[in-house]
Amino acid sequence: MKFHIVSDSSCDLGRKELKRLGVSMVSFYVAFEDEVYYREERDISTHDFYQMMADRPGVFPKTSMPTMEDYLEAFRPQAAQGVPILCICLNAAFSGSYQSALNAAAELKEEYPKAQIRVLDSTLATVLQGLFVEEAASLRDAGLPLDQAAEALAPLPATGRIFFTTSDLEYLRHGGRIGRAAAATGTLLKVKPLIGYKDAGLVSDGIAQGRKKSLIKVRELFYRHIQRENISLDGYRLATGFGLDREEHQAFAQSVYDGLLDLGHDRPEVKKPYQIGVTIGVHTGPTPIGVGLLRRALP
């Protein structure tokens, strides 16, 4: 390998998939009311995290960022062997994970002055960060050295887009994403939010009446985007993601891919779905579901 990749767990690829890709994971922490912090995908699986949320309605978990020591643990074995390191972090506007990684890189260079460590603020989150990590792994496997890979990755975040929805407005209210009155009104009227991610932040894509209509609207927003931008999916990575309900997701994902065929697109490569992790899940509750895409660096 020309370089080694490290990512925080907010990429939502999961521990097993990251191991398969040859990527080291640094965990975020999550706690419920008992104040015991669990390391994501180490002490607690994503499925168990959502199940605990579902079993404790009205309890709002909270996250904590990885520490400098967590990153040092991931960096040190590679630095000791003289292997360059590319570290990909959650959007710095959302978390201090990026700063923890920078601090660890600076600390490690005192121990290994020749260590090569590039820390990237992906400006992305959840499935987009995961797709970004996958693309970094492809560049590494294609033999690109660290600096060339970082240069090839630089324009990709601007191409990322997510369309998703969730059922429980109380988590969004608790996280400050919407006001108390809006949450109460939305719950009364059974309105579901349509949420997007673009240009390094969350955006409102509107509302829909009920869960079924919100899922239809998510697909429509996604299709409208690829048509408006004249996107050829051959040049993009595509992913669907969900929280707790795997069966609901399977039906949703099938409808997304069937709709692409109806629009004249070739069926894209279908990979294992993302289970959206704790950094987004604490704001959405156990019912997030959606689709995202990110341009490839390599054709």
Side-chain angles (χ1 to χ4, degrees):
M1 292 190 298
K2 293 285 187 179
F3 59 90
H4 183 73
I5 302 171
V6 175
S7 176
D8 56 37
S9 59
S10 61
C11 67
D12 294 349
L13 282 162
R15 192 175 183 181
K16 289 183 179 179
E17 180 63 12
L18 286 171
K19 184 177 181 180
R20 187 190 70 80
L21 289 170
V23 175
S24 297
M25 183 187 72
V26 176
S27 292
F28 270 79
Y29 295 81
V30 64
F32 289 82
E33 72 262 278
D34 52 12
E35 297 296 324
V36 174
Y37 276 89
Y38 302 96
R39 294 174 298 172
E40 182 179 17
E41 285 291 310
R42 292 183 185 273
D43 303 323
I44 187 171
S45 70
T46 303
H47 173 83
D48 288 346
F49 159 71
Y50 280 120
Q51 192 62 60
M52 289 175 73
M53 292 181 86
D55 292 343
R56 303 183 189 187
V59 174
F60 301 99
K62 56 187 177 181
T63 59
S64 181
M65 67 188 182
T67 66
M68 182 181 78
E69 288 71 24
D70 292 330
Y71 277 107
L72 282 171
E73 183 181 342
F75 292 166
R76 185 171 279 114
Q78 307 302 324
Q81 297 176 45
V83 177
I85 299 167
L86 176 66
C87 179
I88 298 170
C89 299
L90 171 66
N91 187 342
F94 290 1
S95 165
S97 179
Y98 172 64
Q99 189 60 53
S100 291
L102 287 177
N103 293 343
E107 179 84 7
L108 201 61
K109 285 190 176 182
E110 293 187 10
E111 187 176 346
Y112 298 99
K114 294 184 179 180
Q116 298 180 59
I117 307 173
R118 290 284 296 268
V119 180
L120 300 185
D121 170 10
S122 71
T123 69
L124 302 171
T126 187
V127 302
L128 293 184
Q129 185 183 340
L131 295 173
F132 191 72
V133 170
E134 288 188 86
E135 194 60 25
S138 292
L139 295 172
R140 177 204 62 198
D141 295 345
L144 272 69
L146 176 61
D147 288 343
Q148 288 185 25
E151 183 178 347
L153 289 167
L156 302 190
T159 70
R161 193 75 161 87
I162 292 176
F163 304 90
F164 76 102
T165 187
T166 187
S167 288
D168 196 330
L169 295 173
E170 280 302 305
Y171 290 96
L172 293 171
R173 182 198 65 77
H174 185 79
R177 303 298 177 184
I178 59 175
R180 182 183 299 273
T185 301
T187 300
L188 182 64
L189 298 176
K190 297 183 179 180
V191 167
K192 309 304 178 187
L194 305 169
I195 307 169
Y197 191 99
K198 68 175 182 177
D199 300 330
L202 293 171
V203 297
S204 173
D205 280 330
I207 57 174
Q209 192 77 31
R211 179 70 163 182
K212 187 175 293 186
K213 289 183 179 179
S214 71
L215 296 180
I216 293 172
K217 191 64 176 178
V218 165
R219 296 196 303 269
E220 290 176 350
L221 289 167
F222 169 62
Y223 298 148
R224 190 181 306 164
H225 173 71
I226 61 177
Q227 289 176 307
R228 183 175 60 245
E229 301 297 325
N230 197 27
I231 287 173
S232 171
L233 293 178
D234 291 341
Y236 278 72
R237 291 183 179 271
L238 174 66
T240 57
F242 70 105
L244 182 60
D245 193 333
R246 189 174 295 272
E247 288 187 8
E248 181 188 47
H249 167 265
Q250 288 174 342
F252 170 79
Q254 185 66 50
S255 67
V256 168
Y257 294 124
D258 288 347
L260 290 173
L261 291 175
D262 292 341
L263 291 172
H265 293 274
D266 293 333
R267 186 178 178 87
E269 180 183 7
V270 180
K271 292 188 175 182
K272 180 181 176 182
Y274 283 65
Q275 192 163 23
I276 298 165
V278 305
T279 55
I280 295 296
V282 295
H283 298 294
T284 63
T287 58
I289 190 167
V291 58
L293 76 169
L294 183 79
R295 186 167 62 79
R296 296 176 184 266
L298 295 176

